[in-house]
Amino acid sequence: EADIYQTPRYLVIGTGKKITLECSQTMGHDKMYWYQQDPGMELHLIHYSYGVNSTEKGDLSSESTVSRIRTEHFPLTLESARPSHTSQYLCASRGTSGGSYEQYFGPGTRLTVT
Amino acid sequence: GQQVMQIPQYQHVQEGEDFTTYCNSSTTLSNIQWYKQRPGGHPVFLIQLVKSGEVKKQKRLTFQFGEAKKNSSLHITATQTTDVGTYFCAGKGTGGFKTIFGAGTRLFVKA
């Protein structure tokens, strides 16, 4: 089992609220990613980080922001939640040694904005 | 930019039938990975292919990487109900490109 954790697992919140989705990994991985995925659909990369103080926007435009102050922690924040943000958010990480590009995924946060 | 296309989008099979999903990249890849996501779960890494023409097997699953390193396939022999889920390929382009996930192939297996 990969040591990558996401909280909360499920969240129902009203429109306009600010929320932070937590992601932590204990593997010492430099690279971390946030994906948005509707049930059974493709993964959309929304943010990624190659290390502390390094963050980049992904391929899918997102109104969320991220920070990477510590190697193990990569939180995602929505300043003002909207119903269009309803989706599953998956965090992933990978190491950079040994030639493997395997990404380890967390269990995901299922977000519903009412 | 780099694109990774995966077909088919959906596949319904009878248990015991074979299944194949195909992945094609617009650019040469340095490696390709395959993941499986069970319904309600998260993607789990299956394998990584690196060499041109590489073929790897995991029990009933056979993974191939094309000679030109621009395409790949996953073949499942004699599907079982436990094979149900979405299979994603993820290609890492050469020259510093990020890893790009395909749209996935959703496999349904009827008992």
Side-chain angles (χ1 to χ4, degrees), chain A residues 27-87:
Chain A
M27 298 172 282
H29 287 169
D30 287 327
K31 299 187 189 297
M32 297 190 72
Y33 309 85
W34 276 104
Y35 294 90
Q36 184 176 343
Q37 183 188 39
D38 292 328
M41 303 300 284
E42 61 188 296
L43 296 158
H44 295 286
L45 180 67
I46 51 176
H47 295 282
Y48 62 98
S49 168
Y50 284 168
V52 171
N53 295 324
S54 154
T55 61
E56 299 285 346
K57 287 187 179 291
D59 303 317
L60 180 68
S61 175
S62 173
E63 293 158 342
S64 57
T65 58
V66 292
S67 62
R68 189 88 183 276
I69 299 172
R70 302 198 314 266
T71 298
E72 62 272 21
H73 195 212
F74 191 39
L76 181 145
T77 298
L78 276 168
E79 291 292 333
S80 179
R82 295 212 301 264
S84 60
H85 295 137
T86 294
S87 189

Side-chain angles (χ1 to χ4, degrees), chain A residues 1 9 35 37 39-43 45 48 50 58-59 88 90 94 99-108 110, chain B residues 9-10 30-31 33 35 37 39-45 48 50 86 88 92 96 98-104 106:
Chain A
E1 280 294 312
R9 293 292 308 278
Y35 294 90
Q37 183 188 39
M41 303 300 284
E42 61 188 296
L43 296 158
L45 180 67
Y48 62 98
Y50 284 168
D59 303 317
Q88 173 166 255
L90 290 162
R94 78 168 179 91
S100 172
Y101 285 79
E102 175 182 355
Q103 293 188 27
Y104 295 83
F105 284 82
R110 292 187 186 274
Chain B
Q9 188 176 5
Y10 303 94
S30 62
N31 68 72
Q33 307 128 53
Y35 295 79
Q37 183 176 23
H42 57 275
V44 175
F45 176 82
Q48 176 175 298
V50 178
T86 302
F88 293 96
K92 169 70 174 67
K98 299 188 302 293
T99 294
I100 304 294
F101 278 80
R106 200 165 179 181

Side-chain angles (χ1 to χ4, degrees), chain B residues 28-41:
Chain B
T28 302
L29 301 171
S30 62
N31 68 72
I32 193 160
Q33 307 128 53
W34 285 92
Y35 295 79
K36 178 184 178 180
Q37 183 176 23
R38 294 180 186 276

